[in-house]
Amino acid sequence: MKIAVVGLGLIGGSLAKAFYGLDNTEVLGLDRDEVTMARSKLVGAIHGELTEENISECDYIFIALYPKAAEEFLLKYAPHISKKTIVIDCAGTKRSVCTAGFQIAEKYGFCFMGGHPMAGTQFSGFKYSRASMFDKAAMILVPDKNERIETLQTVKELLVKIGFKSVTVSNAQEHDRIIAYTSQLAHVVSNAYVKSPNAKVHNGFSAGSYRDLTRVAKLNPRMWTELFMDNRDNLSQEIDGIIAELQKYSDAIKQGDEKRLEELLEEGSKIKESIG
């Protein structure tokens, strides 16, 4: 089996390292940074470089790039991709890249599906990638509406081999709507939370709740800007929603309304208990 990984950052590098550990598997890699390419070969993440000449030999191609760059890669390399190849992108939003990916794949006859590995750290880059990144993680797949069940099952079996515990099938609209809440809003809130002047003097006054809430405040600004803007309709709705909820707490506290505040806290506590 021959697998290519395009973009050897945190996610792409981890995919390459995980696939590299599979028996009878050759991993090809492509990254615009020459140092990353050299390091990925040196540490045993890839066997060689992906080129226009050998891309047709690949059984799978995983594109671990930002949405716009993923589309650019597909436009450039699509004429060289074999009809037997399954191409999966790993961007954090799905509508724009899947719209382009499905159209390009239909034109050239190969299989394309969106993907989103629900794993990562607050750090970015190949140096932080690891083969165990996806152990017990979830993967979201966004296939074309006419995709064969057998193809989906084949992809699921491959993903399980590198540690994924669950594979969820969704559509691009549903993915972007839910991910705006479960991932993107959390990053916005965390990033805004540390802008309090008291963040500078938190040492000695903070514990687990502070660490949990601030973990993803450290992020890759360029990547998250593109993802947020790509999903701005869903994300802005979530931001407006949490602002409205916070205003209720603020009003109750300012007005000294203990009964209302307790009601709000009880409401949130019950919701958390019900959803897990």
Side-chain angles (χ1 to χ4, degrees):
M1 179 168 57
K2 187 171 289 190
I3 298 176
V5 179
V6 181
L8 297 172
L10 178 68
I11 296 301
S14 296
L15 284 170
K17 290 176 179 178
F19 288 130
Y20 195 96
L22 298 181
D23 293 335
N24 303 313
T25 301
E26 180 181 357
V27 181
L28 301 176
L30 182 63
D31 194 278
R32 64 182 181 180
D33 183 62
E34 294 182 2
V35 174
T36 297
M37 284 295 295
R39 184 175 297 161
S40 64
K41 294 177 185 177
L42 183 65
V43 303
I46 65 173
H47 295 90
E49 181 178 355
L50 178 70
T51 66
E52 290 184 358
E53 288 69 37
N54 61 24
I55 194 171
S56 63
E57 303 169 9
C58 295
D59 299 290
Y60 295 89
I61 300 172
F62 286 81
I63 308 174
L65 301 172
Y66 304 167
K68 291 178 183 176
E71 294 175 33
E72 291 170 0
F73 171 84
L74 284 170
L75 286 170
K76 179 179 179 180
Y77 285 89
H80 309 285
I81 297 175
S82 168
K83 289 181 173 59
K84 70 179 179 66
T85 303
I86 298 174
V87 180
I88 302 170
D89 96 279
C90 299
T93 55
K94 295 271 74 82
R95 285 177 294 176
S96 61
V97 70
C98 282
T99 297
F102 292 148
Q103 291 175 350
I104 295 169
E106 182 178 11
K107 179 178 179 179
Y108 291 97
F110 58 84
C111 168
F112 173 87
M113 63 180 71
H116 188 179
M118 301 306 295
T121 72
Q122 65 269 42
F123 304 107
S124 60
F126 180 79
K127 67 180 292 186
Y128 296 105
S129 64
R130 61 180 189 271
S132 60
M133 178 68 71
F134 311 109
D135 288 355
K136 298 182 180 180
M139 177 69 161
I140 302 171
L141 291 179
V142 179
D144 181 84
K145 61 183 179 181
N146 298 316
E147 190 56 73
R148 297 169 60 247
I149 297 298
E150 293 82 1
T151 302
L152 273 173
Q153 186 59 35
T154 298
V155 173
K156 287 183 180 181
E157 290 173 0
L158 174 65
L159 294 171
V160 167
K161 288 180 180 179
I162 60 171
F164 284 100
K165 183 179 180 180
S166 67
V167 178
T168 299
V169 177
S170 180
N171 60 59
Q173 291 72 28
E174 180 184 52
H175 170 278
D176 286 3
R177 175 176 57 82
I178 297 175
I179 219 69
Y181 169 69
T182 61
S183 176
Q184 295 186 339
L185 179 63
H187 283 78
V188 170
V189 171
S190 182
N191 193 264
Y193 179 79
V194 297
K195 292 179 180 179
S196 166
N198 285 317
K200 298 177 182 178
V201 293
H202 78 87
N203 286 331
F205 294 84
S206 58
S209 56
Y210 178 85
R211 290 193 298 271
D212 291 344
L213 188 51
T214 61
R215 184 182 67 82
V216 294
K218 180 177 173 58
L219 43 69
N220 180 331
R222 188 167 70 86
M223 180 186 78
W224 284 103
T225 294
E226 181 172 337
L227 294 176
F228 290 165
M229 295 305 291
D230 202 43
N231 200 26
R232 58 186 176 273
D233 54 342
N234 289 311
L235 180 55
S236 61
Q237 183 174 339
E238 290 294 341
I239 292 174
D240 289 345
I242 197 170
I243 288 173
E245 290 298 323
L246 286 171
Q247 189 62 55
K248 296 176 184 177
Y249 291 82
S250 179
D251 290 345
I253 292 169
K254 288 176 180 177
Q255 295 164 12
D257 190 340
E258 293 185 16
K259 183 176 182 297
R260 177 56 175 154
L261 179 59
E262 187 172 347
E263 289 174 349
L264 290 169
L265 294 171
E266 179 69 16
E267 180 184 40
S269 181
K270 286 183 177 179
I271 291 174
K272 173 56 182 173
E273 184 178 359
S274 69
I275 64 177

